[in-house]
């Protein structure tokens, strides 16, 4: 936690955001471990939707992991918060309903430290709702960067590499690549498909 905020007992909202493979979960696990050393009472949540890895853990791409509660929506988080909880961590926060925005504020206003991690843009490069609302109301924002798979520059976008009409397509290295602004092209998948059709 930043020095400035360390000196206060008030609640706090911290958002870790960025594209895929930017180390968001890893950063969150680091902050949680720091809170564990400080003997804080912590609860960790993630949405049911994220079934990439073993279900009741949050796992970083480098395989750091911590046990967590898997929940359907923001109201289920509210109902599972224990009285003694001091720190609430929420991974893949972009997959929650808009109720998550109010809940995060509610918890921080009660004096809790809320740490969220999520994708700031979707596969089209558009803001991933409700992240913009969390971003506007957070106290600390940590933007993470990945490495572009084409040129090695800092990456800020998640490039989808398989065709899909779905707005949300949960996956990892086989479906997405980190790209810089120059090498990100949401129409790339379509273009590849047309080329393949022409070859046939
Ligand atoms: Zn690039």
């Amino acid at each position: 936690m930043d020095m400035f905020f360390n000196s206060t007992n008030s609640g706090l909202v911290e958002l870790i955001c960025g594209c895929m493979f930017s180390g968001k979960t890893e950063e969150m696990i680091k902050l949680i471990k720091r809170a564990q050393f400080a003997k804080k009472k912590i609860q960790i949540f993630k949405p049911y939707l994220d079934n990439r890895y073993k279900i009741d853990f949050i796992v970083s791409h480098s395989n750091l992991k911590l046990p967590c509660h898997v929940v359907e929506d923001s109201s289920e988080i509210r109902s599972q918060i224990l009285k003694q909880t001091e720190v609430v961590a929420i991974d893949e926060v972009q997959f929650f309903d808009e109720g998550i925005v109010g809940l995060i504020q509610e918890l921080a206003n009660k004096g809790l430290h809320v740490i969220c991690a999520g994708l700031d843009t979707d596969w089209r490069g558009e803001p991933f709702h409700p992240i913009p609302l969390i971003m506007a109301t957070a106290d600390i924002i940590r933007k993470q960067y990945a490495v572009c798979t084409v040129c090695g520059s800092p990456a800020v976008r998640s490039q989808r590499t398989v065709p899909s009409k779905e707005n949300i397509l949960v996956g990892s290295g086989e479906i997405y690549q980190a790209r810089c602004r120059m090498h990100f092209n949401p129409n790339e998948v379509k273009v590849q498909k047309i080329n393949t059709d022409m070859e046939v």
Side-chain angles (χ1 to χ4, degrees):
M1 201 194 298
D2 294 28
M3 287 305 286
F4 179 70
F5 285 99
N6 226 354
S7 59
T8 164
N9 286 323
S10 140
L12 183 68
V13 180
E14 208 163 354
L15 173 68
I16 302 159
C17 61
C19 62
M20 292 194 66
F21 313 107
S22 63
K24 297 181 297 298
T25 303
E26 190 141 357
E27 183 68 15
M28 184 160 88
I29 290 173
K30 239 164 65 185
L31 295 178
I32 294 168
K33 290 202 161 162
R34 222 184 283 184
Q36 282 176 337
F37 278 122
K39 304 215 180 327
K40 301 279 185 193
K41 304 268 187 296
I42 308 161
Q43 281 188 281
I44 309 170
F45 298 92
K46 74 170 187 180
Y48 178 67
L49 188 69
D50 183 31
N51 53 2
R52 270 176 295 184
Y53 304 102
K54 195 179 177 311
I55 209 140
D56 47 358
F57 286 90
I58 54 165
V59 186
S60 74
H61 290 291
S62 65
N63 218 24
L64 282 173
K65 59 181 184 178
L66 287 174
C68 72
H69 303 275
V70 181
V71 292
E72 292 280 349
D73 53 24
S74 60
S75 59
E76 199 179 341
I77 296 183
R78 181 181 272 108
S79 66
Q80 288 204 28
I81 300 276
L82 304 171
K83 236 188 189 159
Q84 63 271 28
T85 298
E86 299 168 282
V87 178
V88 172
I90 308 168
D91 200 14
E92 303 287 1
V93 71
Q94 78 280 358
F95 289 140
F96 281 96
D97 54 290
E98 213 163 284
I100 197 78
V101 182
L103 175 64
I104 288 168
Q105 290 303 309
E106 199 182 302
L107 295 173
N109 290 345
K110 275 192 217 161
L112 276 77
H113 180 183
V114 185
I115 306 165
C116 318
L119 285 170
D120 48 11
T121 56
D122 64 15
W123 68 280
R124 292 161 304 194
E126 301 289 335
F128 209 136
H129 283 277
I131 292 281
L133 298 172
I134 299 171
M135 204 177 258
T137 48
D139 301 280
I140 300 175
I141 298 161
R142 297 174 189 272
K143 179 109 173 178
Q144 302 279 120
Y145 303 91
V147 177
C148 176
T149 55
V150 179
C151 72
S153 294
V156 288
R157 297 283 184 269
S158 309
Q159 176 73 49
R160 199 178 268 185
T161 56
V162 295
S164 170
K165 286 182 181 140
E166 299 298 318
N167 269 341
I168 293 173
L169 187 62
V170 177
S172 190
E174 75 286 4
I175 302 179
Y176 292 97
Q177 286 180 356
R179 295 283 178 91
C180 71
R181 191 178 281 276
M182 192 166 87
H183 292 118
F184 172 69
N185 177 7
N187 298 316
E188 185 181 280
V189 171
K190 246 189 264 165
V191 173
Q192 278 173 352
K193 195 165 186 297
I194 292 163
N195 288 345
T196 314
D197 289 346
M198 280 164 70
E199 278 163 26
V200 174

